[in-house]
Amino acid sequence: MNQKLTMTRSLEQQVVTNFSGSNLAKSDLAGVTAHKGQFKGSTLAGSDFSGSDLTGSTFNRSDVREANFDGTNLTDCSLSALDLTNTSFNKSILVRTNFSSANLNAAKFTGVRMTDVTLTKTDLKTTIFEGCWFDGVDFNYSDLSGQRFDGQTFIGVKFDRAELSNASFKGATLNNVSFQPGFTFTKKYYRMIKTICFDGATMDKLTFAALKGMDANLSKVTVI
């Protein structure tokens, strides 16, 4: 009897967390718990997920414009090939979260500590990062042109093959940060590195040496 009840509850949980292909625009899902939820190919524009625990969930190929993820636990979540325009991630929990080929136009990350997060193959020119801490984050192949990272902290972060023209790291802290172009350094890549502002930044010796070798302007950098 107990085994049958356990199986029934397990099936109910599977049904409750599978919303693939659903129209859930402007839904109130604040504070819910939906581990390994499936939101593939769903319409979630304007929905409220604030304070929810969505650990291990998948949002691939969905419309999630103007959704609210403030304080949401997005550990081990996959958000790939989807529209996240104007979404809010205020103090969200982002651990091993995967953003890939996503539209993050005007999305806002505020007071977020990102741990082992991937933000790859994504246009991040108009994404807003304020008061964030980046630990083990991978920006591989993303476009960060003109991005403002002033005063924020980067530890073990990879900007490999990323576009960083006119990006700013004023007053930022960089420790073990990589800016590798891929297979070879080109004149175009050297020119891009020179446009990055590191004024007032603090960085470790290895990061400093690597950037110095790329002719970055480090005249106002403090080495630790």
Side-chain angles (χ1 to χ4, degrees), residues 53-174:
D53 183 355
L54 304 177
T55 299
S57 295
T58 301
F59 290 84
N60 298 354
R61 304 184 306 281
S62 292
D63 179 0
V64 200
R65 292 172 295 167
E66 300 180 355
N68 182 356
F69 290 102
D70 294 351
T72 305
N73 187 347
L74 294 168
T75 298
D76 292 321
C77 286
S78 175
L79 299 98
S80 300
L82 78 173
D83 194 348
L84 289 162
T85 299
N86 289 315
T87 47
S88 177
F89 297 90
N90 180 39
K91 296 184 179 179
S92 303
I93 300 171
L94 301 180
V95 179
R96 297 181 301 276
T97 311
N98 174 38
F99 296 89
S100 179
S101 301
N103 183 355
L104 281 162
N105 181 36
K108 190 170 185 178
F109 295 85
T110 311
V112 177
R113 178 161 189 157
M114 300 187 189
T115 304
D116 297 331
V117 170
T118 56
L119 281 155
T120 56
K121 299 178 181 178
T122 296
D123 187 339
L124 299 168
K125 293 193 296 292
T126 63
T127 306
I128 300 166
F129 298 98
E130 294 180 349
C132 294
W133 182 296
F134 304 86
D135 190 349
V137 176
D138 188 352
F139 288 100
N140 216 334
Y141 287 109
S142 286
D143 190 345
L144 295 151
S145 302
Q147 186 56 250
R148 315 292 296 186
F149 288 120
D150 300 347
Q152 298 177 84
T153 300
F154 301 82
I155 300 174
V157 173
K158 294 181 180 179
F159 289 103
D160 299 346
R161 293 172 286 275
E163 174 58 55
L164 287 158
S165 296
N166 299 305
S168 176
F169 292 86
K170 287 183 179 180
T173 299
L174 296 89

Side-chain angles (χ1 to χ4, degrees), residues 164-212:
L164 287 158
S165 296
N166 299 305
S168 176
F169 292 86
K170 287 183 179 180
T173 299
L174 296 89
N175 190 353
N176 192 28
V177 177
S178 173
F179 293 87
Q180 294 300 310
F183 296 107
T184 58
F185 287 94
T186 63
K187 290 182 179 180
K188 181 180 179 181
Y189 194 81
Y190 278 107
R191 287 196 298 269
M192 180 195 75
I193 291 294
K194 289 181 179 180
T195 70
I196 303 173
C197 180
F198 292 104
D199 292 356
T202 301
M203 59 183 68
D204 67 296
K205 292 181 178 179
L206 290 177
T207 301
F208 181 88
L211 286 169
K212 183 179 180 180

Side-chain angles (χ1 to χ4, degrees), residues 16-20 34-40 53-59 77:
V16 160
T17 57
N18 188 357
F19 297 101
S20 295
H35 290 182
K36 297 183 179 180
Q38 297 295 315
F39 299 92
K40 298 177 182 177
D53 183 355
L54 304 177
T55 299
S57 295
T58 301
F59 290 84
C77 286

Side-chain angles (χ1 to χ4, degrees), residues 15-33:
V15 172
V16 160
T17 57
N18 188 357
F19 297 101
S20 295
S22 300
N23 185 354
L24 296 170
K26 298 183 179 179
S27 293
D28 179 5
L29 296 169
V32 303
T33 298

